[in-house]
Amino acid sequence: MFIELGHFALILALVLAVVQTVLPLLGASRGWDSAMAAGGPAATAQFGCLALAFGALTYGFVTSDFSLSLVAANSHTDKPMLYKVTGVWGNHEGSMLLWCVILALYAAMAATFGTNLRPSLRARVLGVQGAISVAFLSFLIFTSNPFTRLSVPPMNGSDLNPLLQDPGLAFHPPFLYLGYVGLSMAFSFAVAALIEGRVDAAWGRWVRPWTLAAWLFLTVGIALGSWWAYYELGWGGFWFWDPVENASFMPWLIAAALLHSAIVVEKREALKSWTILLAILAFGFSLIGAFIVRSGVLTSVHAFANDPERGVYLLAITGVFMGGALMLYAVRASAMEAKGVFGLASRESALVANNVLLAVSAFVVFIGTVWPLLAEMVWDRKLSVGAPFFDAAFTPFMVALAALLPLGSLMPWKRAKMDRVMAPLWGALALSITMGALVWVIQTGGSMLAPFGAVLASWVVMGVLVDLWTRAGRGREFSAKIRRLRRLPRADWGKSVAHTGFGVTLFGICALTAWQVEDIRVAQEGESFDVAGYTITLADVRGARGPNYEATLAVMEIARGDRSVATLIPEKRFYPVARMPTTEAAIDNGILRDIYVVIGDPQDGGGWAVRTYIKPFANWIWAGCIIMALGGCLSLSDRRHRVAAGAAKAPPAAVPAE
């Protein structure tokens, strides 16, 4: 009965989404206050219905209700409870339901917290958001219904994809969807502003927190996915430039550009047209990502579905919303005139350069991702675009971005003098070059990647410190500087923390890429071998059973000289129901290095395939991502984002004439 109630709630949510779309947009165009006001209750009710539907589907998975086709295909009675719950979104239909729940959640939040918006703008934002819900709920109900019943339920299910039975993947999709779908709010604000023909500082203040929240969730989601790929897939890497990885990375880059562009709109009422375009593109790349993941046009270990018919529907959704928004943009862009005037050397110009670098890098990733598909469609040639292309084409933009960050942070608005901007930065530049030289000396020659990364990372972090010290005031006593720093807005602290995280991640990537040591061999039980100063002994190999898998465990002793470092137990698992093997790497994590070991298959001549990696500064990559996310949280907690940011100022009361 509860399952049927959830199914009914899903259909009712579609009806409410239609109401949320039609009434506010019609009311805003006709000036009907009651119709505009209907958008808020409709959005809240739609979220309630979808939350009920999601709860019903979760109940089906938890209770192993195999009369549900989705549960039978993606669950099993022996599966641990955590993965029964996460199995709800570990498939195409359930993940699309989660997408719709989050879409409705954002609309409900806009209805709740947007009461100080202009009524017409609020109504149009909710109307556009409702239209997106109508499209995805229609897609869900008519092509991917998660509540489809089986006439003859099986005794047991087919189990969840073993690669998804992992804590990292349990939380990775929800965070990604909070980011993907969160960008729909920026899109709705952009389209609403185009309909009204009005973009002002208040609009910039309102669009920033929504974009910031989406960027924050995307950062966490991408980091979790990268971490999962690092320890779960057994290949020892953190980023493969896989199409689905790229599908999440492109919106992240555009969202970062949008965040910086919205600052210019808020502070200087400039870059209005560009900011609107970025808001449209950010959500557009999210829709493209959904198409890539679910259409099967590009092969990926992360893909949810391989169904061209569903892909056509998603492509149609992308075409309608992107095409409609861009047509509206073409008609209205001339009305988005910038008021602020700024010089070539100014903070505005630095933010423009930041935007160009981020946007062009996103399009480079996009071209590399879709080029194999275009080559097959147009020239009937099968091509593969891999890491060498992306590394060569993408890296220069990130280098330029890192070089620009400290300069842009110190530049004043409107116009700047470069000699004054550089004055406090010469010391930071000297220290950064010294750090690079020190790294080069320590590594005793070899690749210049690590020293160059050390220079860039130090430059970014030192630039943050110089910016903070400069803002504390020159010529002040130390205690006065500290008091001034403590009074800085949280958004400013958030910017500094996020930029620091970017520098930490940058160094981690460069150091890991330059200094990683890899060893692949066949080892006998009891045999020892040396890798980069560590002695590794394959002490034992034995079998074991898990709750829903069989495993081969290897006990590997790690020592350095006479000192024991760790005992690692990598696994090779086999899931009988899914008929699928997985590799479980064992990692000794450290601040300065990871020791990463993988056990492979038994060899015909005896022994076992063993892979060993020594990975310097690997954890700095994810530590930097965490720091960036903390910076986003700090900025999001700024009081200016929470207290009537977009409220129009009330006109002063008239003073009666004497």
Side-chain angles (χ1 to χ4, degrees), residues 613-638:
Y613 303 90
I614 308 299
K615 294 183 168 293
F617 297 97
N619 289 302
W620 287 46
I621 297 172
W622 299 289
C625 293
I626 293 171
I627 294 170
M628 280 191 278
L630 288 175
C633 289
L634 272 175
S635 293
L636 202 56
S637 68
D638 193 305

Side-chain angles (χ1 to χ4, degrees), residues 62-262:
V62 169
T63 60
S64 296
D65 184 353
F66 297 122
S67 68
L68 278 174
S69 174
L70 192 65
V71 177
N74 295 280
S75 192
H76 193 272
T77 53
D78 292 335
K79 192 166 64 172
M81 181 56 69
L82 172 63
Y83 304 130
K84 286 186 178 182
V85 174
T86 59
V88 177
W89 56 80
N91 55 81
H92 167 70
E93 292 84 356
S95 65
M96 281 311 305
L97 178 57
L98 178 62
W99 178 292
C100 293
V101 170
I102 295 173
L103 196 60
L105 171 62
Y106 277 111
M109 291 175 64
T112 303
F113 300 111
T115 53
N116 289 313
L117 280 168
R118 294 190 308 274
S120 60
L121 179 61
R122 177 174 177 265
R124 288 185 169 110
V125 167
L126 291 176
V128 175
Q129 195 74 5
I132 300 171
S133 287
V134 169
F136 278 98
L137 284 170
S138 300
F139 171 66
L140 181 65
I141 292 171
F142 296 116
T143 73
S144 312
N145 195 330
F147 294 104
T148 301
R149 291 282 194 179
L150 293 174
S151 57
V152 182
M155 292 297 295
N156 217 326
S158 300
D159 209 357
L160 178 68
N161 184 339
L163 288 175
L164 303 180
Q165 296 185 40
D166 180 85
L169 254 289
F171 303 103
H172 163 65
F175 275 104
L176 270 188
Y177 288 178
L178 285 166
Y180 273 145
V181 181
L183 291 173
S184 67
M185 287 303 302
F187 176 86
S188 296
F189 268 95
V191 173
L194 287 173
I195 294 172
E196 289 200 342
R198 178 179 175 182
V199 175
D200 52 17
W203 181 91
R205 283 193 296 273
W206 269 103
V207 82
R208 273 183 65 196
W210 297 106
T211 307
L212 180 59
W215 177 87
L216 165 63
F217 288 126
L218 272 176
T219 302
V220 176
I222 292 171
L224 281 172
S226 172
W227 179 54
W228 167 79
Y230 175 69
Y231 72 81
E232 174 66 21
L233 297 183
W235 62 294
F238 63 93
W239 195 261
F240 191 64
W241 295 107
D242 177 273
V244 176
E245 291 174 343
N246 296 346
S248 63
F249 192 42
M250 291 183 289
W252 185 87
L253 291 168
I254 298 295
L258 175 58
L259 271 177
H260 293 84
S261 182

Side-chain angles (χ1 to χ4, degrees), residues 531-543:
V531 179
Y534 292 93
T535 300
I536 300 169
T537 303
L538 180 59
D540 185 27
V541 180
R542 58 177 182 264

Side-chain angles (χ1 to χ4, degrees), residues 406-530:
L407 291 169
S409 297
L410 286 172
M411 283 184 178
W413 296 103
K414 297 182 69 173
R415 58 184 59 88
K417 294 184 177 180
M418 290 307 298
D419 55 343
R420 291 186 180 180
V421 173
M422 280 300 301
L425 285 172
W426 286 117
L429 181 59
L431 283 173
S432 301
I433 294 173
T434 302
M435 184 65 70
L438 178 63
V439 169
W440 184 78
V441 170
I442 291 174
Q443 75 172 14
T444 62
S447 170
M448 286 298 296
L449 179 60
F452 189 65
V455 171
L456 275 180
S458 300
W459 170 246
V460 171
V461 176
M462 293 288 184
V464 169
L465 296 177
V466 169
D467 179 35
L468 289 173
W469 195 250
T470 302
R471 298 195 64 177
R474 299 176 182 175
R476 294 173 176 265
E477 295 181 358
F478 183 77
S479 59
K481 285 179 176 286
I482 297 300
R483 286 195 299 271
R484 187 178 177 90
L485 285 174
R486 290 176 62 184
R487 291 196 297 268
L488 283 179
R490 288 186 184 180
D492 293 347
W493 276 107
K495 177 198 76 172
S496 299
V497 172
H499 287 181
T500 301
F502 176 70
V504 172
T505 295
L506 187 65
F507 177 71
I509 291 172
C510 292
L512 175 62
T513 305
W515 294 333
Q516 172 179 279
V517 176
E518 178 182 0
D519 179 87
I520 302 175
R521 66 175 66 225
V522 176
Q524 306 289 335
E525 290 185 50
E527 181 182 350
S528 298
F529 53 93
D530 294 331

